[in-house]
């Protein structure tokens, strides 16, 4: 097991608690042989976990059955969202009435209707969703927020003068609907940012193999997640656990471990253990007040795009087809073409200014064309504004020792080949604008798998190659979901799951998240 250690006698007790962690296959906070944490200090030890019993030095009070930090986090997020909804609804009505050219006024029924709207939001699960999630996002609940905005607008419009003294006309009702939808999302996003900063860090116990633990660990501090892995247990990695991993005694020890280390959430990655044993394990953790997240290995293949089918009391998961239907493909192409055309009209003058700046800054062409692999393996010339010196490719071999990427990718944080204008273009992602021409020509889409160069594409093998079922995109999950220098294999998995789960709404979400990602200058 593993732990962050302080100084003094408490730290010594934490170290003593984990002296035998090497025997258990457990890790706490990243270092073999240590156990503990902010609340760790129980000298009784955990025999079944490989932490041997020591003679008691002093009595330490047992932690409460339900971790107070868990309850405080949930209370904080619920109250923040409730306040955000109240502010958004009130502000939307005030703006509608105040900006109207007619003399409109809110009635006392508008005050009565506010709790009704909040109850409707509660019935849609908008206040209970966050407790089950590590990454709390507002975009994913946008469809339900649109339902609340639509319901609110319809009631205000159809109620005549009961809510607004003087009936709303169509323009005012449309403004109310748009302002409600926008303000609800903005207020909730802001509330989550504030709550995330104020809330204590979520302490996670990971139960699964080493590879998955190392894959999950960096994601706990990336992109709106405030968590840390304080303990890792590999139930199948130790002989004493492999045959009886979830017996009553073992479950009791895990329960005691969760209480002593003040675990807030357990991330369970079922592997070879029996399903019944895993259920017992999750029930035990939930009984201690620990929230449980499951990492199902099945979704690595089918993705999250499944439909739950109730077969007379038996739940089945219906897996959708992998490839897009003709209508879905036509819808995606229409969306890409419309979006690219509008963007070209909007940024056309800016592209002329950038082209002039590139010519004045260094010799060479304005555009940089590089051969990439597109849909079904067809190759095309991807366009970008030139950001490097003209002989950049010739200098690549001399800089390989400074490469910071993995698995065949080539990236350097402070690349000496980048020009002065090119550095600004890269940080602002403006060098990608010429790819709008690739979209109009049908070689790329607004959102899609990453367009790889030939040598990178040759490293993709097996079922990962099905990522090429869709045209590559200007942006995609590889840009906003993973760290800036994700390994090529992890990028290929992201692309495969994107294709498996495609929907127009997922494209819209990725585009919106790309805007915030670029604005924050992350991963460029």
């Amino acid at each position: 097991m593993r732990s962050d250690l302080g100084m003094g006698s408490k730290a010594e007790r934490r170290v003593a608690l984990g002296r035998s962690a090497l025997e258990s296959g457990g890790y706490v906070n990243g270092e073999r042989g240590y156990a503990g944490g902010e609340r760790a200090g129980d000298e009784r030890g955990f025999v079944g976990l490989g932490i041997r019993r020591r003679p008691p030095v002093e009595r330490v009070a047992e932690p409460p059955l339900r971790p107070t930090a868990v309850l405080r986090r949930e209370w904080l997020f619920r109250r923040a969202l409730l306040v955000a909804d109240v502010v958004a609804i009130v502000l939307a009505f005030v703006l509608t009435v105040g900006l109207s050219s007619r003399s409109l006024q809110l009635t006392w029924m508008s005050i009565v209707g506010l709790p009704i709207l909040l109850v409707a939001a509660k019935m849609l699960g908008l206040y209970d969703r966050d407790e089950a999630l590590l990454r709390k996002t507002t975009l994913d609940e946008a469809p339900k927020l649109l339902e609340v905005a639509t319901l609110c607008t319809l009631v205000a419009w159809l109620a005549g003068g009961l809510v607004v003294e003087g009936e709303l006309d169509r323009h005012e009702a449309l403004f109310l609907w748009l302002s409600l939808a926008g303000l609800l999302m903005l207020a909730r996003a802001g509330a989550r940012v504030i709550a995330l900063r104020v809330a204590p860090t979520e302490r996670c116990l990971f139960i699964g193999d080493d590879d998955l633990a190392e894959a999950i660990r960096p994601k706990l501090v990336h992109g709106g997640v405030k968590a840390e892995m304080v303990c890792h247990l590999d139930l199948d990695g130790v002989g004493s656990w492999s045959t009886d991993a979830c017996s009553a005694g073992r479950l009791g020890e895990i329960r005691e471990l969760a209480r002593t280390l003040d675990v807030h959430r357990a991330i369970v990655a079922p592997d070879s253990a029996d399903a019944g044993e895993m259920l017992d394990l999750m029930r035990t953790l939930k009984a201690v007040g620990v929230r449980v997240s499951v990492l199902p290995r099945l979704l690595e293949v089918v993705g999250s795009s499944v439909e739950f089918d109730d077969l007379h009391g038996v739940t089945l998961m219906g897996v959708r087809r992998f490839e897009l239907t003709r209508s879905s493909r036509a819808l995606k192409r229409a969306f890409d073409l419309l979006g690219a055309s509008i963007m070209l009209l909007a940024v056309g003058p800016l592209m002329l200014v950038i082209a002039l700046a590139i010519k004045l800054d260094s010799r060479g062409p304005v555009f940089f064309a590089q051969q990439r692999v597109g849909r079904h393996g067809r190759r095309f010339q991807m366009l970008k504004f030139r950001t490097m010196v003209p002989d950049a490719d010739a200098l690549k071999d001399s800089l390989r020792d400074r490469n910071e990427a993995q698995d065949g990718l080539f990236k350097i944080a402070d690349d000496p080949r980048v020009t002065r204008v090119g550095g600004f273009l890269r940080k602002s992602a403006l060098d990608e604008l010429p790819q709008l021409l690739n979209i109009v020509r049908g070689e790329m889409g607004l959102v899609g798998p990453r367009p790889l160069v030939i040598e990178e594409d040759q490293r993709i093998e097996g079922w990962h190659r099905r990522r090429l079922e869709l045209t590559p995109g200007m942006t995609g999950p590889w840009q906003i979901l993973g760290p800036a220098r994700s390994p090529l294999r992890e990028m290929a998995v992201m692309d495969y799951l994107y294709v498996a789960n495609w929907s127009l709404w997922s494209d819209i979400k990725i585009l919106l998240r790309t805007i915030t990602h670029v604005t924050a200058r992350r991963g460029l």
Side-chain angles (χ1 to χ4, degrees):
M1 293 190 192
R2 300 181 173 176
S3 141
D4 288 327
L5 302 177
M7 300 297 292
S9 59
K10 288 185 179 179
E12 293 171 358
R13 291 200 300 271
R14 294 169 189 156
V15 173
L17 179 64
R19 292 294 185 188
S20 302
L22 284 172
E23 303 173 11
S24 69
Y27 306 80
V28 177
N29 280 356
E31 301 297 331
R32 277 181 177 264
Y34 296 92
E38 182 181 348
R39 286 186 160 182
D42 194 337
E43 295 294 338
R44 294 173 297 171
F46 306 100
V47 180
L49 299 182
I51 304 177
R52 296 172 182 168
R53 189 183 301 273
R54 298 177 68 251
V57 177
E58 63 177 284
R59 299 287 296 177
V60 179
E62 289 190 354
L65 181 63
R66 293 184 299 171
T68 55
V70 175
L71 300 179
R72 184 151 60 98
R73 283 179 62 88
E74 295 175 1
W75 181 91
L76 183 62
F77 276 95
R78 279 199 180 96
R79 298 304 182 274
L81 293 177
L82 180 65
V83 171
D85 288 347
V86 171
V87 170
I89 294 171
V90 171
L91 185 57
F93 272 95
V94 169
L95 286 175
T96 302
V97 171
L99 296 178
S100 174
S101 58
R102 301 182 298 137
S103 56
L104 298 179
Q105 288 184 347
L106 296 174
T107 67
W108 63 273
M109 279 296 295
S110 61
I111 301 176
V112 176
L114 182 59
I116 297 176
L117 286 174
L118 298 178
V119 170
K122 171 69 176 179
M123 293 173 63
L124 289 171
L126 289 171
Y127 301 120
D128 302 321
R129 179 173 170 270
D130 281 8
E131 74 174 49
L133 303 176
L134 271 164
R135 184 168 179 251
K136 301 164 176 48
T137 61
T138 303
L139 269 180
D140 289 335
E141 63 187 14
K144 290 185 178 180
L145 293 177
L146 287 174
E147 290 181 30
V148 173
T150 303
L151 174 65
C152 181
T153 304
L154 281 175
V155 171
W157 191 20
L158 298 177
L162 292 179
V163 177
V164 178
E165 192 175 298
E167 296 182 5
L168 295 174
D169 60 26
R170 287 182 300 172
H171 301 291
E172 291 161 347
L174 178 62
F175 178 83
L176 176 61
W177 181 74
L178 291 174
S179 59
L180 266 173
L183 288 172
L184 280 171
M185 284 186 264
L186 286 175
R188 280 183 156 247
R192 284 192 170 101
V193 170
I194 296 172
L196 198 64
R197 291 183 179 178
V198 176
T201 300
E202 196 163 8
R203 298 167 60 83
C204 298
L205 162 66
F206 185 87
I207 302 177
D209 60 50
D210 293 346
D211 292 339
L212 281 175
E214 292 309 312
I216 291 295
R217 190 185 301 276
K219 299 182 184 298
L220 297 179
V221 292
H222 177 75
V225 182
K226 187 179 179 181
E228 63 175 336
M229 190 183 298
V230 297
C231 185
H232 164 214
L233 293 179
D234 187 354
L235 300 188
D236 294 324
V238 183
S240 61
W241 283 84
S242 58
T243 58
D244 199 14
C246 295
S247 65
R250 298 293 188 260
L251 291 174
E253 290 160 2
I254 293 177
R255 175 190 177 100
E256 192 66 20
L257 175 66
R259 294 176 63 175
T260 303
L261 296 184
D262 190 25
V263 172
H264 304 161
R265 180 179 298 273
I267 304 174
V268 182
D271 192 6
S272 60
D274 180 79
E277 293 178 343
M278 283 293 105
L279 287 175
D280 287 340
L281 172 61
M282 286 185 270
R283 290 186 184 113
T284 299
L285 290 166
K286 289 167 71 173
V288 191
V290 174
R291 299 295 174 254
V292 178
S293 296
V294 180
L295 182 65
R297 304 300 298 268
L298 175 66
L299 298 189
E300 293 179 10
V301 178
V302 303
S304 59
S305 184
V306 295
E307 297 290 342
F308 288 95
D309 184 8
D310 184 4
L311 186 64
H312 305 294
V314 177
T315 302
L316 301 178
M317 284 196 304
V319 181
R320 298 178 188 172
R321 66 165 73 184
F322 183 83
E323 68 278 1
L324 268 61
T325 62
R326 280 187 188 176
S327 57
S328 295
R329 197 176 299 281
L331 179 63
K332 179 172 174 58
R333 176 58 184 157
F335 176 74
D336 291 337
L337 190 58
L338 178 63
S341 301
I342 293 174
M343 290 177 66
L344 275 173
L345 291 175
V347 303
L350 176 61
M351 292 178 68
L352 291 176
V353 173
I354 293 173
L356 181 60
I358 292 173
K359 294 298 290 183
L360 294 175
D361 183 52
S362 62
R363 62 180 179 84
V366 170
F367 296 110
F368 170 71
Q370 188 178 43
Q371 195 171 60
R372 298 289 180 111
V373 179
R375 185 185 173 209
H376 294 158
R378 289 192 292 267
R379 298 176 183 180
F380 69 99
Q381 296 293 323
M382 190 183 79
L383 299 176
K384 299 176 88 172
F385 281 123
R386 182 174 58 84
T387 59
M388 291 186 175
V389 294
D391 55 346
D393 282 339
L395 299 173
K396 187 174 181 179
D397 289 337
S398 63
L399 297 171
R400 288 196 180 275
D401 59 327
R402 297 174 58 179
N403 184 22
E404 299 176 9
Q406 304 176 25
D407 296 342
L409 296 179
F410 188 85
K411 285 189 178 181
I412 302 175
D414 298 316
D415 199 320
R417 302 171 297 169
V418 177
T419 63
R420 288 174 299 176
V421 171
F424 169 77
L425 294 178
R426 286 191 168 199
K427 287 181 180 179
S428 58
L430 293 175
D431 61 319
E432 311 282 351
L433 289 179
Q435 291 169 33
L436 293 171
L437 299 174
N438 290 116
I439 296 176
V440 173
R441 295 194 318 217
E443 298 164 336
M444 294 181 64
L446 289 173
V447 182
R450 175 172 177 166
L452 298 178
V453 297
I454 297 172
E455 62 180 16
E456 293 173 350
D457 179 72
Q458 291 173 346
R459 295 173 178 266
I460 306 296
E461 299 176 348
W463 55 267
H464 290 124
R465 292 202 63 80
R466 298 207 67 184
R467 61 188 291 278
L468 298 177
E469 291 284 337
L470 290 182
T471 52
M474 283 185 67
T475 185
W478 42 271
Q479 179 162 354
I480 62 171
L481 296 184
R485 281 153 180 75
S486 299
L488 183 61
R489 178 178 174 82
E490 184 176 345
M491 217 172 280
V493 172
M494 290 180 189
D495 287 340
Y496 173 88
L497 292 178
Y498 164 76
V499 178
N501 302 319
W502 181 86
S503 68
L504 187 61
W505 173 236
S506 69
D507 275 9
I508 294 173
K509 287 195 298 183
I510 290 175
L511 285 172
L512 293 175
R513 284 172 176 160
T514 299
I515 295 173
T516 59
H517 186 87
V518 171
T519 303
R521 295 187 177 181
R522 297 193 300 261
L524 301 178

